[in-house]
Amino acid sequence: MKIVVIGGTGLIGSKLVKRLEAKGHDVIAASPASGVNTVTGEGLAEVLAGAQVVVDVANSPSFEDKAVMEFFQKSGRNLLSAESAAGVNHHVALSVVGTERLQDSGYFRAKLVQENLIRDSKIPYTLVHSTQFFEFMFGIAQSGVQGDKVHLSPAMMQPILSDDVADVLAEIAVGSPSNGLKEIAGPEPIRISDAVEKYLRQIGDKREIVVDDETPYFGVVLDDKMLMPGPGVHVGRTAYSDWVKTATPPPAR
């Protein structure tokens, strides 16, 4: 089948494209670099022609409240409209475990708007809620930097390896729409502060970690339940404690 991956050159998208191609599908990695812009609508009609499935793993280039809301509103509306016109019969979207509980954050308010646009459309869909990727630990650390220290919440999380996310998305993309939500997470619950500290020490970053219940996580003060998946979650294969032993610094930008 023809499958279009929106955000197909990013961390998850590139892994997903390889998995779907290996299964023999006609896969297009769509992004602004390939002439497909969901915010402006450029290239959507052309790339979606003949597509049975669209997987949206794109993310906003900015986390600023107004910009991220504009991105997910415009992108969602343009994409779903183009899919409807093209006769796409399965829309798969990647979102975040706990989105509905994290509405103090502009980013997560925008993600919920995106999800509601999908639910309200007439296109069969599957929403995938993932916990935080292992590879996101440096970003979490940087969000808590104050001077030469890193301030972090001790709230619980259950992070997942990006490869495990791509495996699940590849299965869902070629399956039947659920018209519902599927949660995915890694096998090990761990505190945010502990996970980030383990990662920073592994890559040789010796900045002091300050653990504080009131330190916000991207604008939200967390409790131990807000980032955690519920019953029936699909659990990935890779343990954080194994991955972090060989973790490397993020690529320089």
Side-chain angles (χ1 to χ4, degrees), residues 189-246:
I190 187 172
R191 297 197 178 279
I192 293 172
S193 49
D194 291 342
V196 173
E197 183 171 19
K198 288 177 186 295
Y199 173 77
L200 292 181
R201 298 302 177 253
Q202 166 62 26
I203 66 170
D205 189 325
K206 298 180 180 179
R207 285 178 291 179
E208 181 182 346
I209 306 293
V210 179
V211 182
D212 180 2
D213 288 337
E214 297 303 312
T215 295
Y217 174 85
F218 296 98
V220 184
V221 176
L222 300 173
D223 61 34
D224 277 344
K225 297 180 180 179
M226 295 173 79
L227 297 183
M228 294 294 287
V233 61
H234 173 93
V235 176
R237 294 172 295 183
T238 311
Y240 184 75
S241 58
D242 292 332
W243 174 84
V244 76
K245 294 175 184 175
T246 58

Side-chain angles (χ1 to χ4, degrees):
M1 64 178 71
K2 179 178 177 180
I3 303 172
V4 177
V5 180
I6 304 295
T9 58
L11 174 65
I12 301 297
S14 58
K15 294 175 185 290
L16 175 59
V17 167
K18 290 179 181 178
R19 284 159 172 75
L20 292 171
E21 287 178 338
K23 294 176 180 288
H25 298 289
D26 176 14
V27 187
I28 297 178
S31 70
S34 70
V36 179
N37 190 317
T38 55
V39 174
T40 64
E42 177 190 2
L44 278 176
E46 293 81 4
V47 78
L48 294 180
Q52 288 86 35
V53 180
V54 170
V55 185
D56 185 5
V57 294
N59 207 354
S60 172
S62 169
F63 279 23
E64 188 273 325
D65 285 4
K66 183 179 179 181
V68 73
M69 181 63 77
E70 183 174 279
F71 175 86
F72 283 116
Q73 283 182 328
K74 289 185 176 180
S75 178
R77 288 172 179 151
N78 287 337
L79 182 56
L80 291 165
S81 176
E83 287 179 30
S84 179
V88 170
N89 53 36
H90 191 185
H91 179 96
V92 181
L94 181 63
S95 194
V96 185
V97 164
T99 289
E100 69 284 357
R101 299 187 291 270
L102 301 168
Q103 293 299 292
D104 285 345
S105 161
Y107 178 83
F108 291 106
R109 287 196 296 272
K111 288 297 289 182
L112 188 59
V113 166
Q114 178 197 31
E115 291 182 17
N116 287 335
L117 287 171
I118 294 166
R119 291 187 178 98
D120 292 342
S121 77
K122 295 181 180 179
I123 300 167
Y125 69 91
T126 305
L127 282 173
V128 181
H129 270 196
S130 172
T131 54
Q132 291 64 37
F133 309 147
F134 293 173
E135 295 89 344
F136 195 34
M137 293 303 154
F138 190 78
I140 295 175
Q142 291 303 100
S143 74
V145 170
Q146 296 182 30
D148 59 355
K149 299 178 182 179
V150 180
H151 292 247
L152 295 167
S153 167
M156 295 298 296
M157 67 192 313
Q158 197 167 324
I160 186 170
L161 182 67
S162 61
D163 285 291
D164 291 345
V165 175
D167 286 342
V168 174
L169 287 173
E171 293 179 6
I172 289 173
V174 300
S176 299
S178 70
N179 292 318
L181 178 67
K182 182 181 184 70
E183 288 190 326
I184 58 177
E188 288 183 344
I190 187 172
R191 297 197 178 279
I192 293 172
S193 49
D194 291 342
V196 173
E197 183 171 19
K198 288 177 186 295
Y199 173 77
L200 292 181
R201 298 302 177 253
Q202 166 62 26
I203 66 170
D205 189 325
K206 298 180 180 179
R207 285 178 291 179
E208 181 182 346
I209 306 293
V210 179
V211 182
D212 180 2
D213 288 337
E214 297 303 312
T215 295
Y217 174 85
F218 296 98
V220 184
V221 176
L222 300 173
D223 61 34
D224 277 344
K225 297 180 180 179
M226 295 173 79
L227 297 183
M228 294 294 287
V233 61
H234 173 93
V235 176
R237 294 172 295 183
T238 311
Y240 184 75
S241 58
D242 292 332
W243 174 84
V244 76
K245 294 175 184 175
T246 58
T248 57
R253 292 185 177 182

